[in-house]
Amino acid sequence: MTFPDAQRPDAALQAIIADIDLVPPDEAADFVRAEVQRRARILRTFTSHAPDADEVSAQLDEVDVNRVIQLVGTARTALRMIAAAIVELSVTARGIADTVHWMELRPVGKTGAPPHLGIDIAYIIAYRALTREQRWLLHTLSVWAPPPATLSREHTLAVARQSAALLEMPITEDDFDRLVALAFVDLADLSVDAGAIIRSPSTYRRVAIDPYVRYIAGSGLETWQTGEGTLPEEIAHLSPAEITLATFTNWAVSFAAVIAGPTLPTVDAVAESADAEKDDDDSPGLTPDPALEALTDEEAWVALEPEAPHVLLAADFARQMRAPEQVYHLCRLLVPLLRRVDSPAARGVLRPLLETGLICARASAAVNETLLLATQLADVALDDGDFLRALTFADEALRAALAKKDMRAIGFATRRVAALAIRAGDSERALTAARQAVALARSNGTQDEMNESIALLAAASRMPKSP
């Protein structure tokens, strides 16, 4: 296990450390006692051997809470993890001190050391109690979108199980519960009213992970050792982190296919691979809960919204891994739904998804995808009332249509550029495009296209000249 070096110039890490939440020093002891008692009460609901109130009080007296605070400081996350370790692992102040000595640190509370060191101490105490499977599950949580995004228990388990299967490690729900019990993650279930339209627990049963804990877990994934000859030959060249990222992006495509519903084309190499793995009894599948199929648009958005940060991150991972087809597939599946929902929140997902797709299309000189994605981004900009941005994307779509040498696409794109230039107040561009549209319609267009082109030329001709 390695920990981030807070001295290195990592802006992301420094920002995370700066935002660590601290409990006021005069409230820290009461916070630990209350957290221990709360966790003991929860434990009593699961086992008859859990300590009662008197036993918890006696245990707290033995622990020496004030000494604990001197050792780990007052970072809220550190204190919550230490409280969990007291209940679940019967850890004492002496045990914490031994860990501090082993880690070659000084007590955080005494020296005024950075608060993240207290989280390091609490993390390693709990981490030593985890099985190999539970450690892998914890590390895989780091590939999901950072807080404030929450994580679906079912979806994160699906990705962890699928990736762990390649390492011959079975992961169960009990492993997830162990992470919750030791405060690596916290329950963050979405509220479900009596009239709620949420149809699957995969939507609302969720957890949250502290940003700094996520950062540590990510470092563990990067340094994970698979062992000689552990991986199948076809993926032996991949690192554990790459395997997890690939599994995560496959999950995103599978999830999008279910959310989009059965009427849309959802089969490509990725989906076929996922189906094949699902049919293999020895390999857990990635397909989300079938209860999410055939949703209304409103229901689909309720299921999609909490996963949107993860889907966007998966698209970006696919771009980085040079897997543009996965990004295009996400766009094909989700763009129609997001357009129909047509809310600011939905457009907040639609826009970056299309932009990621267009970046992929540009990088691979994929003309068809560039034409489609640039056209769709022009639509989004038009919805936002940003005519200059819409015109920029329409111009790019026109260039793609010209490269494709599709006369109908060229004619449509040219008329659109003319119309958007008129709305953007660019008279020179509008007049040029309208004249081109008339010429194209005269050569290859229909009468309706000719009429539209003439109307655009007339409108462009009446515009005052651009300054």
Side-chain angles (χ1 to χ4, degrees):
M1 168 58 58
T2 60
F3 289 85
D5 180 359
Q7 301 306 314
R8 63 192 176 98
D10 186 326
L13 174 58
Q14 295 302 328
I16 290 171
I17 291 173
D19 285 340
I20 288 176
D21 185 22
L22 302 178
V23 176
D26 59 343
E27 299 176 13
D30 289 340
F31 178 86
V32 172
R33 292 188 179 94
E35 186 69 9
V36 167
Q37 291 167 349
R38 182 183 72 83
R39 289 183 174 275
R41 286 194 298 271
I42 295 172
L43 190 59
R44 283 198 295 274
T45 66
F46 291 98
T47 174
S48 59
H49 303 294
D52 59 25
D54 291 337
E55 290 172 322
V56 170
S57 296
Q59 186 178 17
L60 282 168
D61 290 338
E62 293 177 4
V63 167
D64 188 353
V65 172
N66 290 324
R67 173 62 173 156
V68 168
I69 294 167
Q70 289 176 341
L71 289 165
V72 302
T74 62
R76 190 177 301 272
T77 297
L79 296 181
R80 294 185 70 176
M81 295 184 76
I82 285 295
I86 291 171
V87 174
E88 299 285 341
L89 307 177
S90 299
V91 72
T92 64
R94 181 172 181 175
I96 299 171
D98 289 343
T99 301
V100 171
H101 178 72
W102 174 76
M103 295 177 70
E104 299 181 350
L105 298 175
R106 293 182 179 180
V108 175
K110 282 186 175 181
T111 62
H116 73 278
L117 294 179
I119 304 177
D120 289 347
I121 295 164
Y123 186 101
I124 197 63
I125 288 171
Y127 188 83
R128 288 164 134 182
L130 299 180
T131 65
R132 181 173 169 83
E133 289 77 11
Q134 290 161 0
R135 292 177 180 185
W136 178 260
L137 172 58
L138 173 60
H139 295 321
T140 62
L141 301 184
S142 68
V143 307
W144 295 76
T150 58
L151 288 64
S152 160
R153 288 171 63 103
E154 290 190 26
H155 296 332
T156 50
L157 266 172
V159 171
R161 283 171 168 165
Q162 183 75 7
S163 56
L166 298 171
L167 305 176
E168 300 181 347
M169 293 189 300
I171 288 179
T172 68
E173 290 191 17
D174 289 342
D175 294 321
F176 211 126
D177 290 339
R178 185 62 167 164
L179 298 187
V180 174
L182 289 173
F184 286 107
V185 292
D186 296 308
L187 295 178
D189 292 344
L190 299 181
S191 60
V192 181
D193 299 328
I197 61 175
I198 298 176
R199 295 172 56 172
S200 169
S202 64
T203 297
Y204 60 80
R205 293 186 68 238
R206 311 184 73 78
V207 295
I209 185 168
D210 175 83
Y212 186 72
V213 171
R214 176 180 180 268
Y215 200 103
I216 303 174
S219 71
L221 181 61
E222 292 171 1
T223 58
W224 185 275
Q225 298 297 317
T226 59
E228 192 70 26
T230 301
L231 296 177
E233 182 177 353
E234 62 272 17
I235 61 169
H237 64 287
L238 298 177
S239 69
E242 289 170 333
I243 290 171
T244 307
L245 291 178
T247 308
F248 174 64
T249 55
N250 287 349
W251 163 82
V253 173
S254 299
F255 175 76
V258 173
I259 290 296
T263 59
L264 292 177
T266 61
V267 177
D268 64 356
V270 174
E272 290 173 352
S273 173
D275 288 341
E277 290 167 347
K278 181 179 63 176
D279 293 337
D280 183 352
D281 291 339
D282 296 328
S283 178
L286 285 170
T287 304
D289 190 337
L292 295 177
E293 291 182 340
L295 304 177
T296 66
D297 289 347
E298 184 181 7
E299 291 170 335
W301 174 244
V302 168
L304 173 60
E305 186 174 19
E307 309 305 337
H310 309 302
V311 171
L312 292 176
L313 185 62
D316 194 53
F317 283 151
R319 177 189 63 80
Q320 295 176 44
M321 292 186 293
R322 294 181 174 83
E325 285 301 326
Q326 287 187 311
V327 183
Y328 304 152
H329 200 54
L330 285 170
C331 291
R332 287 194 294 269
L333 290 166
L334 295 179
V335 167
L337 168 65
L338 294 169
R339 292 284 292 171
R340 292 195 301 271
V341 172
D342 191 28
S343 67
R347 286 197 294 277
V349 180
L350 175 62
R351 191 181 301 106
L353 179 60
L354 288 172
E355 288 171 349
T356 302
L358 185 56
I359 291 170
C360 289
R362 290 168 178 165
S364 56
V367 174
N368 288 338
E369 285 75 16
T370 299
L371 173 60
L372 175 61
L373 294 166
T375 299
Q376 291 173 325
L377 277 165
D379 291 339
V380 174
L382 192 58
D383 291 342
D384 293 338
D386 190 340
F387 301 123
L388 288 176
R389 181 176 170 84
L391 179 57
T392 298
F393 285 122
D395 270 327
E396 185 167 4
L398 176 56
R399 291 193 297 272
L402 290 167
K404 189 179 177 183
K405 299 180 180 178
D406 182 330
M407 297 309 298
R408 291 198 63 183
I410 293 171
F412 172 80
T414 302
R415 293 192 301 276
R416 188 160 215 225
V417 166
L420 287 170
I422 291 170
R423 300 188 71 173
D426 187 341
S427 60
E428 183 177 351
R429 186 75 181 93
L431 194 58
T432 300
R435 286 169 176 165
Q436 292 170 341
V438 170
L440 287 167
R442 184 178 292 120
S443 300
N444 303 293
T446 64
Q447 187 59 49
D448 287 343
E449 291 170 351
M450 174 60 79
N451 293 340
E452 181 183 352
S453 300
I454 292 173
L456 288 168
L457 180 57
S461 300
R462 291 193 297 268
M463 293 178 67
K465 288 188 177 182
S466 304

